[in-house]
Amino acid sequence: MSRTRFAIAAALAALLAGCGGGDMSDLRQYVEEVKSRRSSDIKPIPEIKSYEPYTYRPAGRREPFAPAPRSREEEEQRAATGISPDRDRPREPLEQFPLDSLDMKGTLVSGGTVYALIRDPEGVVHRVKRGEHMGQNYGEVVDITPSEVKLIEIVPDGMGGYMKRAAEIALE
C-alpha cells in the first residue's frame, strides 16, 4: 500500500512541476495591450414614447372586420362563373382527409371499371372510381391512370367565390 501512495505522490509532483516556471511574457504583453485599449462610448438608451390609445368611432365607417365591399364587375364575374360546391351531396369516406395524406397504392380493373386503390391515414385501403370524391376541397375523380389519380377540386378564389383547380395523387 505504501508503494501505491508513493507512486501517486510522485505522479502528482511531476504534474505540478509542469505547471510552473514557463515563459509567460507573451501572455503578460497581451494583457497589457488589452488594458491599454481605449474604451468606446456607449450610446444612451433611446427615450421611450408614451402609449396613446386609439378609440375606434364607427360613425360613417365600415365595420373593420367585415369583408371589403366588392365592385360591381367582381360581383358580375362571380355570378357568371356559377362554380360552387354541392353541399347537399352526401360526403364520401375519403372527403374527411386532406389530399396530401392519401396514398395511391395501385389500380384494379373489375367488370370493365378502373378503380384506384387509395390508402387513408388510418391504413384503410379504399376503391375509388371516376366520379367519386375525395379530399377536403370537394375533389372529384376525373381520370385514373396506372400511375396517378387526377381530380378537379373546388376551392375558394379569395373573393368570396369558388374556382376549379386540378390536383393529383401519384402512385408511391
Side-chain angles (χ1 to χ4, degrees):
M1 184 114 162
S2 63
R3 283 186 176 177
T4 307
R5 285 185 184 171
F6 179 74
I8 291 173
L12 284 174
L15 283 173
L16 290 175
C19 290
D23 182 26
M24 296 178 46
S25 62
D26 59 337
L27 179 61
R28 286 189 185 98
Q29 181 183 2
Y30 177 73
V31 169
E32 289 301 320
E33 178 192 332
V34 170
K35 285 182 179 180
S36 67
R37 290 182 191 162
R38 224 180 131 210
S39 63
S40 61
D41 293 335
I42 298 174
K43 294 179 182 177
I45 297 174
E47 186 178 321
I48 299 173
K49 297 177 182 175
S50 63
Y51 172 74
E52 295 180 30
Y54 175 78
T55 304
Y56 179 77
R57 292 181 178 81
R61 296 181 176 172
R62 75 173 181 87
E63 185 68 29
F65 299 105
R70 293 188 186 97
S71 69
R72 174 173 230 153
E73 60 185 48
E74 285 177 334
E75 287 292 336
E76 290 172 0
Q77 180 184 7
R78 182 172 164 222
T81 62
I83 299 171
S84 65
D86 182 4
R87 297 182 198 278
D88 297 330
R89 173 183 58 77
R91 303 282 287 187
E92 296 178 29
L94 289 176
E95 287 186 277
Q96 64 181 316
F97 304 108
L99 276 185
D100 61 355
S101 69
L102 302 175
D103 298 321
M104 180 179 179
K105 293 300 182 182
T107 57
L108 176 71
V109 178
S110 176
T113 304
V114 179
Y115 294 94
L117 300 175
I118 305 293
R119 187 180 71 194
D120 67 24
E122 296 170 354
V124 178
V125 177
H126 302 263
R127 284 187 337 177
V128 178
K129 63 182 179 181
R130 277 183 77 158
E132 291 185 358
H133 296 81
M134 66 169 108
Q136 295 176 330
N137 290 320
Y138 308 97
E140 181 178 352
V141 177
V142 293
D143 192 22
I144 298 173
T145 68
S147 61
E148 69 182 358
V149 176
K150 295 182 181 181
L151 302 109
I152 297 292
E153 294 183 304
I154 299 175
V155 295
D157 65 1
M159 295 184 293
Y162 291 91
M163 65 182 195
K164 291 186 177 183
R165 175 179 69 184
E168 62 271 333
I169 299 176
L171 181 67
E172 283 190 342

